[in-house]
Amino acid sequence: MWRVLVFIGLLCIAAFGAVWLADRPGTVLVTFSGYEMRTSVAVAAIGVIGIAVLLALLWAAVTGILRLPSRLTFASRARRRARGYQAVSRGMVAVGAGDPVSARRYANEAERLLGSEALTLLLRAQAAQISGNRAAAEAAFKQMMDESETRVLGLRGLFVEARRRGDGLAAREYALEATRLAPAAAWASDAVLEAQCAERDWRGALGAIERRASLGLLDKSTAKRNRAVLLTADALDRAERDSEGALSSAQDAMKLAPDLAPAAALAGKLLSHKGELRRAAKVVEAGWRLQPHPDLADVYLNLRPGDSGLDRLKRAETLLKLSNGAAEGRLAVARAALEAREFRRAREVLDPLVADRPTMRVCLLMSDLEQAEHGSTGKGREWLARASRAPRDPAWIADGVVSDTWAPISPVTGRLDAFVWQAPPDVLVAPEIAFSDDVTADLDEEPKALPIPPREEALPEPVSAFAPKPDVAALANEGPPKPAPKTRPEPVVFPLNQPPDDPGTPEQPPMARTLFF
């Protein structure tokens, strides 16, 4: 629109100029080398304009001829770069598809067309990686370090290759150099933090967490939790040689993460060793309210060495009130009552747990209770047998590893704050998977399910601790059991803690096989 308006405006100016010249007649006289040329002003103006246009066209033609070789070279280079970038694109697709032959072919073509650019070096390195040529990959990454723009990328590639060949020292050096060049590189800061945790350099790891939080790589809640975990780890390492420093670290950890049971347990234990029993009790009670844990119960019951069993039982009752009847509170009271030989109280607190699928610890406590109260009886052995098949109690779990003690990092991946307090999965159900083989199966038949062996018997209902024994004589007079009608096989239920070759006990029917985690 604006161009049209400008064109119309210029046309109007030209028309106005032509009319103005026509209204003012006159002559133009040109004398040159004895010749005289006389013409009107309008014709002279048109002649000047025509000569200017001809000169402009002549100049354009001359400059076009002079610039033709460079333009041809530029066009050739543009086509070459386009082909090179097309080869890079196809090579990246081949790398993603896992085609090493095509990836190497396109990497060579891209390097021939584009030279040692960043993308061609990256494609060559990745093609070498998927081909298993580690030396070529490292050579490409080292070549990237020659340029400032690709130095961090080369460091990351060298870091990955060092980790693959098990050279932890070289990997750490590459990560440190990357953090110096690019502090916001998340992979480098993660690697440095992991190396510091593996070396148990908790103070250095705390500094790394602070830097990551200041750069925005961690949110505030995660940073606080990580600092609490590292302070607890530092306190555990210093507990034997520097109790004051360990106590300070544990208390700082509790301020950052009040629900971190290991920090509360360690702080309570160190305070009790100093004789500050009231402060120790408050610390443990605060942690117990947020997360009832057996370590906290153990510290709380043994705050003062030499206390009688009844004194420990009273403290256990306090924990039970604070936990609002939680299972850990009941177990703590039952253990204290058993040590104080208050068998009736132990049965009272365990009875709700016995009636609701008792766990291994509940079964073992019931066995100890039966043996302490009645001596070596069948009931005690029955509870021991049930304990071998009972569900697992909560434990510290990280990346599939079940541990009785807490650790700041995972023993498998080295991840910080990996351990969580939870019960391991106790039941796995084998699903029915429909399958059909188009080569060997009859096309007229429906797809059949994978054959799954039927379970031998259903799991028994939870047995109360005070249920009467069955009348064995009456059962014997009933004769052999009738065969059960044939039904469709059901999925196998695998409960934990069943030994593979355990045929069962006289008190318990045989169970399905067990998977250990």
Side-chain angles (χ1 to χ4, degrees), residues 332-369:
V333 172
R335 174 58 63 186
L338 184 60
E339 293 176 357
R341 303 191 67 80
E342 294 289 338
F343 303 128
R344 182 175 180 182
R345 179 56 181 159
R347 290 184 184 275
E348 288 177 358
V349 295
L350 286 178
D351 192 46
L353 302 180
V354 169
D356 185 20
R357 200 181 180 204
T359 62
M360 182 186 298
R361 288 172 62 195
V362 175
C363 294
L364 292 176
L365 274 175
M366 287 300 300
S367 176
D368 294 342
L369 179 60

Side-chain angles (χ1 to χ4, degrees), residues 312-333:
R312 288 193 291 271
L313 178 58
K314 291 179 182 179
R315 284 198 286 271
E317 295 286 357
T318 302
L319 292 180
L320 180 60
K321 294 178 182 178
L322 293 176
S323 64
N324 295 323
E328 288 296 340
R330 292 183 176 277
L331 291 172
V333 172

Side-chain angles (χ1 to χ4, degrees), residues 134-145:
R134 303 300 179 197
E138 289 191 19
F141 288 127
K142 288 180 180 178
Q143 192 173 353
M144 290 181 189
M145 294 183 64

